[in-house]
């Protein structure tokens, strides 16, 4: 949407909630090696996913709050048999809707429905243009061919396709060729390099992350990625993160969280009304946190420029408000690459030249 940024600013300036990230299910037809949600092809859930009626009732609540944008995600959203109904109901209430999907089921009829409803933004992950690498990560032979075919159909249907390329050890060697190849085909590509520990496979997933030497090579090739450029100097009284205030996430079973990556919750829609959750103590305490509240960061010369992420620190260290050694090391690498150097007790930046192709 061309004016989306202006709408976001207007809503935020008036203290509103701009967007909500809806995880419709954790089920998925892929079995990706790095998946955060441990969904699997037909993963059983301790509780059933929110029903059509429960989600439509949530749409009413969100419309009443003036929420502008919904992102439908998973798992894999096409595992929901009522996806068409949910899309129609969301659009009927005036929400801008984005779709995050693995791309393997972007069929002509589904794309025609998206066009009919005005759902034009679709986000898909591609791990490599080499089938053995991509399919090895998804655990599904032939998945790359299906995803690329879906992307071409989506583009032909006039949808705005955004591609994410998460770089990890299994695909690091092909990452540059993949990014260049996708850009040569006219796609927008965002390259990232972080795998977060999941609920049940924490150590295994953390081991997929690039080691220090591999990460330095990644930065030399691609530069800092979205959300990891040095922040303007900030003090202890400044905000850590605006998730939970300007946006929030809802899990398939109704957990309301600051963002989808967070483990800790504000409450559950099956046990409390949304209004009570948003006015509750857990959310209020989260929103009130400031940079000076991060335990273990006092006196760090990088702190004024650091890109704190409570969700990542919770995943790597167990507590969103206590420094994580992994996260600190990663940030230090990136800040150093960005031209940072110590000057007395401060840290100043003489930015390195942009990496070839970075920002395209």
């Amino acid at each position: 949407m061309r004016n989306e940024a202006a709408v976001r600013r207007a809503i935020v300036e008036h203290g509103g909630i701009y967007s909500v990230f809806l995880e419709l299910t954790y089920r998925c037809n892929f079995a990706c090696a790095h998946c955060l949600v441990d969904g699997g092809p037909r993963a059983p859930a301790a509780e059933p996913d929110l029903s059509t009626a429960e989600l439509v009732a949530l749409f009413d609540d969100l419309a009443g709050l003036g929420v502008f944008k919904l992102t439908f995600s998973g798992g894999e959203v096409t595992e929901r048999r009522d996806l068409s109904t949910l899309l129609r109901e969301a659009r009927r209430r005036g929400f801008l809707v984005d779709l995050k999907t693995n791309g393997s089921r972007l069929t002509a009829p589904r794309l025609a429905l998206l066009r009919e409803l005005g759902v034009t933004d679709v986000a898909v992950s591609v791990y490599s243009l080499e089938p053995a690498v991509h399919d090895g990560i998804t655990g599904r032979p032939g998945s790359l061919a299906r995803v690329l075919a879906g992307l071409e159909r989506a583009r032909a249907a006039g949808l705005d396709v955004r591609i994410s390329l998460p770089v990890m050890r299994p695909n690091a060697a092909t990452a540059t060729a993949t990014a260049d190849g996708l850009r040569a085909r006219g796609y927008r590509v965002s390259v990232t390099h972080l795998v977060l520990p999941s609920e049940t496979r924490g150590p295994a997933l953390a081991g997929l992350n690039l080691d220090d030497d591999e990460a330095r090579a990644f930065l030399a090739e691609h530069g800092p990625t979205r959300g990891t450029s040095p922040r303007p100097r900030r003090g202890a009284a400044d905000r850590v993160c605006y998730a939970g205030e300007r946006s929030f996430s809802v899990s398939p079973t109704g957990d309301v969280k600051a963002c989808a990556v967070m483990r800790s919750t504000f409450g559950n829609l099956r046990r409390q009304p949304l209004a009570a959750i948003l006015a509750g103590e857990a959310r209020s305490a989260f929103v009130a946190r400031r940079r000076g509240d991060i335990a273990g960061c006092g006196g760090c010369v990088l702190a004024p420029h650091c890109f704190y992420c409570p969700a990542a620190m919770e995943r790597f260290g167990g507590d969103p408000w206590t420094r994580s050694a992994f996260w600190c090391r990663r940030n230090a690498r990136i800040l150093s690459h960005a031209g940072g150097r110590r000057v007395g007790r401060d840290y100043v930046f003489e930015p390195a030249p942009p990496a070839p192709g970075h920002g395209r």
Side-chain angles (χ1 to χ4, degrees), residues 5 115 135 190 234 288 291 294 315 320:
R115 285 289 297 172
D135 298 354
S190 172
R234 295 176 178 174
R291 292 170 72 89
I294 306 294
R315 288 281 170 179

Side-chain angles (χ1 to χ4, degrees), residues 4 42 46 55 87 92 102 130 164 179 194 205 225 230 284 296 317 319 322 325 349:
E4 184 179 344
R42 291 291 186 277
L55 284 166
L87 288 167
R92 185 172 292 132
N102 63 34
E130 292 189 13
S164 174
L194 177 66
L205 290 196
T225 57
S284 298
D319 184 342
T322 299
F349 290 92

